[in-house]
């Protein structure tokens, strides 16, 4: 993922301009403005100078919009081919102004940044390489250009800095606690992956990102799952889901990972089926509370199979091989069960349909997109009905279990009361009057419970029979 970029056009001339202005600043005497960067575990102070905006280049390797670059594969290919060309730089500009979860729309935060810059000017300097490529301040540079500014204050990194050094500095700047705008979720995942490819340990990366090591492993699982799903979504026309399509699903994906790990050691097939169904629900844009209904009971009761149309369910019910051979090793492992294959086949259809609907490619006809949207609509209706049925039944079960649960809590409190009573009597600290009043309240509650139990349970068991008999003996009914 780490790429060494060639020098931008006019790099030598702009480097000379930077060198000249640095010499002027250092030779002027007095207090110089500097910006502090974290590099190689140490803090480095670099001088700040004023540079023309027309000569600065947006950073094609910035982590801030790495996931968003996949939004338009054609423009991304042009950026990859000529990172400092006009077309690629315009694509970077557009992404920096756009909403992270939907690059088709303008980001309100960008407009707020422009308003702030117009009112108060540039407070914090950006950061550039000795060739004039922005390492920090890309969005500010775009906003300043939109406002008609001619120059920008920037700190200049040493000319000895390599691309890994530059990426490390950008990452350190972004992860400072005082940063106003964080990386989007998917871009954070990509940054972690990049650090792993550089040979850093999970513990080192977790410390850098200020998270627990277990959270780091969770994030890597999520990114791996997203990449697998994007690959599975690819259709014959080369259309597939993009990384940006998963922005906004952070909490739902984390809950999925926790559920999967919990179930995997107990019943792998169950874990795989629920994983596929939850991922489909996330892609269909169900809320976090709705996705939570897709649990063990959801699978056990077969809520989805009861409402899923036959034409949508077909494709995974065919007979499956009992084992799968591993090429080159001469080993066989158990194949997925038919139920897992059916869940996977259903999700594959949803993935491909979602990719077709969301693509910006023009190769797909309106008819193909309409068919894909129709499939998504049918799938969403089925999932919606299944989730609603499960939610309704869960509410019924909760109401059924509420009274017994409260009585169990009351029993536990009475048991604790016995212990407290013994301790109070031992220390001669019992408030007998207050205790007597509490017992009378218990007697009243006992009577109400017996009355309702006698009316609502036609064939009482041993417990309720004892309650009714005790109440009758005490004259409480």
């Amino acid at each position: 993922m780490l790429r060494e970029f060639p020098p931008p056009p006019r790099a030598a001339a702009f480097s000379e301009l930077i060198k000249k202005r640095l010499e002027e600043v250092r030779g002027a005497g007095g207090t110089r403005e500097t910006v502090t960067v974290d590099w190689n575990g140490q803090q480095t102070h670099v001088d700040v100078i004023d540079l023309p905006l027309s000569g600065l280049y947006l950073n094609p390797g910035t982590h801030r919009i790495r996931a968003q670059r996949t939004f338009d594969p054609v423009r991304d290919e042009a950026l990859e081919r000529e990172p400092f060309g006009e077309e690629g730089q315009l694509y970077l500009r557009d992404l920096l102004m756009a909403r992270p979860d939907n690059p088709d729309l303008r980001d309100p935060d960008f407009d707020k940044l422009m308003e702030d810059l117009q009112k108060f000017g540039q407070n914090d300097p950006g950061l550039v390489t000795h060739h004039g490529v922005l390492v920090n301040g890309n969005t500010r540079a775009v906003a300043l250009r939109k406002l008609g500014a001619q120059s920008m204050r920037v700190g200049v990194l040493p000319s000895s800095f390599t691309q890994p050094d530059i990426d490390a500095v950008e990452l350190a700047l972004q992860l400072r606690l005082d940063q106003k705008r964080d990386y989007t979720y998917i871009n954070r995942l990509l940054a972690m992956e990049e650090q792993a490819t550089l040979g850093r340990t999970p513990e080192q990366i977790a410390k850098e990102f200020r998270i627990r090591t277990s959270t780091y492993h969770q994030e890597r699982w999520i990114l791996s799952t997203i990449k697998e799903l994007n690959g599975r979504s690819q259709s014959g026309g080369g259309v597939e889901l993009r990384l940006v399509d998963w922005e906004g699903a952070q909490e739902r994906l984390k809950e999925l990972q926790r559920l999967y790990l919990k179930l995997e050691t107990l019943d792998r097939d169950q874990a795989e089926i629920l994983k596929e169904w939850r991922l489909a629900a996330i892609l269909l844009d169900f809320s976090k509370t709705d996705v939570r209904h897709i649990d063990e009971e959801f699978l056990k009761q077969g809520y989805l199979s009861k409402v899923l149309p036959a034409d949508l369910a077909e494709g995974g019910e065919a007979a499956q091989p009992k084992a799968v051979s591993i090429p080159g090793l001469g080993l066989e492992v158990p194949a997925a069960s038919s139920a897992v294959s059916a869940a996977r086949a259903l999700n594959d259809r949803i993935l491909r349909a979602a990719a077709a609907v969301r693509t910006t490619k023009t190769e797909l006809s309106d008819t193909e997109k309409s068919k894909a949207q129709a499939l998504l609509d049918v799938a969403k209706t089925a999932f919606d009905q299944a989730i609603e049925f499960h939610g309704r039944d869960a509410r019924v079960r909760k109401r059924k279990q509420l009274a017994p649960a409260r009585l169990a809590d009351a029993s536990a409190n009475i048991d604790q009361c016995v212990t407290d009573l013994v301790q109070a009597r031992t220390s001669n600290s019992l408030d007998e009057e207050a205790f007597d009043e509490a017992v009378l309240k218990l007697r009243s509650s006992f009577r109400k419970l017996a009355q309702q139990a006698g009316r609502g349970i036609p064939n009482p068991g041993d417990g309720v029979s004892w309650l009714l008999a005790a109440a009758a003996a005490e004259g409480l009914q």
Side-chain angles (χ1 to χ4, degrees):
M1 182 176 291
L2 186 65
R3 176 185 171 185
E4 291 279 355
F5 295 100
R10 306 182 305 279
F14 204 70
S15 292
E16 282 300 317
L17 173 64
I18 291 175
K19 182 179 178 181
K20 180 179 178 181
R21 294 202 173 176
L22 284 173
E23 290 174 351
E24 290 174 352
V25 166
R26 292 164 184 167
T31 303
R32 304 198 307 265
E33 182 182 10
T34 61
V35 62
T36 303
V37 297
D38 298 316
W39 174 71
N40 202 22
Q42 298 178 342
Q43 289 192 331
T44 301
H45 306 284
V46 299
D47 289 315
V48 174
I49 58 175
D50 223 46
L51 287 176
L53 272 166
S54 59
L56 298 177
Y57 286 92
L58 302 176
N59 184 7
T62 179
H63 296 81
R64 183 179 294 284
I65 53 171
R66 186 160 292 176
Q68 285 67 33
R69 284 183 51 179
T70 62
F71 179 73
D72 190 330
V74 175
R75 297 186 75 185
D76 187 45
E77 184 180 347
L79 174 60
E80 191 71 19
R81 187 172 56 252
E82 293 187 57
F84 299 110
E86 182 180 1
E87 188 176 353
Q89 288 285 301
L90 286 175
Y91 187 40
L92 289 174
R93 181 204 65 182
D94 292 345
L95 291 178
L96 288 165
M97 293 192 298
R99 277 179 48 176
D101 59 339
N102 186 357
D104 269 334
L105 302 177
R106 176 98 159 210
D107 190 353
D109 287 341
F110 179 80
D111 292 325
K112 291 178 182 177
L113 173 62
M114 282 188 61
E115 183 180 349
D116 184 80
L117 287 169
Q118 191 169 33
K119 285 183 178 179
F120 306 108
Q122 182 190 354
N123 292 323
D124 301 317
L127 193 66
V128 297
T129 68
H130 72 290
H131 283 148
V133 179
L134 285 157
V135 177
N136 190 40
N138 285 269
T139 311
R140 273 173 287 165
V142 173
L144 286 168
R145 284 172 178 168
K146 295 283 286 183
L147 292 170
Q150 299 301 307
S151 63
M152 180 178 180
R153 288 175 22 254
V154 291
V156 182
L157 292 175
S159 59
S160 61
F161 271 38
T162 63
Q163 189 64 45
D165 295 332
I166 293 168
D167 289 340
V169 167
E170 186 208 356
L171 184 63
L173 282 168
Q174 183 58 45
L175 294 178
R176 282 182 181 175
L177 294 176
D178 60 349
Q179 288 294 304
K180 294 180 180 178
R181 190 180 181 190
D182 295 330
Y183 288 154
T184 64
Y185 180 58
I186 303 300
N187 286 323
R188 280 178 63 86
L189 301 186
L190 292 172
M192 290 182 198
E193 181 185 55
E194 181 181 278
Q195 292 298 301
T197 61
L198 295 175
R200 306 192 69 189
T201 66
E203 291 75 19
Q204 290 174 325
I205 299 173
K207 182 178 179 181
E208 189 76 25
F209 281 80
R210 299 180 177 90
I211 57 176
R212 296 191 299 270
T213 304
S214 59
T215 303
Y216 164 78
H217 289 298
Q218 179 188 57
E219 306 288 41
R220 293 303 306 276
W221 184 94
I222 289 173
L223 181 59
S224 174
T225 299
I226 288 174
K227 288 188 172 183
E228 178 203 343
L229 292 170
N230 288 359
R232 285 166 54 185
S233 72
Q234 189 170 14
S235 61
V239 173
E240 64 178 289
L241 286 170
R242 305 150 303 187
L243 292 171
V244 70
D245 291 321
W246 299 95
E247 290 285 13
Q250 175 177 349
E251 293 304 320
R252 288 171 289 174
L253 290 168
K254 287 187 173 184
E255 289 191 359
L256 165 62
Q257 188 265 355
R258 289 192 290 267
L259 175 68
Y260 181 83
L261 291 189
K262 183 184 79 171
L263 298 179
E264 184 184 24
T265 56
L266 303 174
D267 187 334
R268 185 173 180 84
D269 280 1
Q270 184 185 58
E272 289 292 338
I273 293 170
L274 291 178
K275 173 187 170 185
E276 295 292 338
W277 285 353
R278 280 205 175 194
L279 287 167
I282 291 171
L283 201 57
L284 292 169
D285 204 27
F286 281 93
S287 67
K288 181 169 62 176
T289 52
D290 284 338
V291 174
R292 284 174 183 164
H293 282 299
I294 303 176
D295 56 13
E296 300 94 315
E297 190 67 22
F298 184 91
L299 175 59
K300 179 181 177 183
Q301 298 298 329
Y303 289 108
L304 186 59
S305 61
K306 294 175 183 177
V307 298
L308 198 64
D311 60 335
L312 194 58
E314 67 184 11
E317 299 294 344
Q320 302 295 321
K322 294 182 179 180
V324 176
S325 298
I326 301 178
L329 296 180
L331 300 175
E332 290 188 343
V333 295
S337 68
S338 59
V340 173
S341 297
R344 186 180 176 91
L346 170 63
N347 197 16
D348 282 345
R349 296 188 67 186
I350 293 173
L351 287 164
R352 289 192 291 270
V357 169
R358 299 182 186 191
T359 185
T360 56
K361 286 188 174 182
T362 57
E363 287 83 352
L364 285 182
S365 65
D366 291 340
T367 301
E368 290 174 303
K369 287 193 173 185
S370 296
K371 287 182 179 179
Q373 185 61 60
L375 186 147
L376 292 180
D377 292 341
V378 171
K380 183 153 189 175
T381 299
F383 271 84
D384 192 35
Q385 290 176 345
I387 289 170
E388 175 60 29
F389 290 152
H390 181 30
R392 182 192 62 195
D393 290 351
R395 290 190 293 271
V396 171
R397 285 193 299 271
K398 184 176 180 180
R399 286 197 296 270
K400 287 180 178 180
Q401 297 166 1
L402 193 58
R406 291 193 184 278
L407 198 56
D409 290 342
S411 297
N413 286 333
I414 290 174
D415 289 341
Q416 182 61 45
C417 179
V418 172
T419 302
D420 295 340
L421 180 61
V422 171
Q423 292 176 349
R425 291 180 61 183
T426 301
S427 61
N428 197 26
S429 61
L430 177 65
D431 186 339
E432 295 182 4
E433 184 177 348
F435 182 73
D436 190 66
E437 289 179 2
V439 171
L440 289 175
K441 289 182 180 179
L442 176 62
R443 183 175 183 268
S444 175
S445 299
F446 188 81
R447 181 179 69 249
K448 294 175 185 177
L449 180 62
Q451 288 173 344
Q452 295 303 320
R455 294 173 185 172
I457 304 178
N459 299 306
D462 293 342
V464 176
S465 296
W466 171 85
L467 173 63
L468 297 176
E474 293 293 328
L476 297 177
Q477 285 186 301

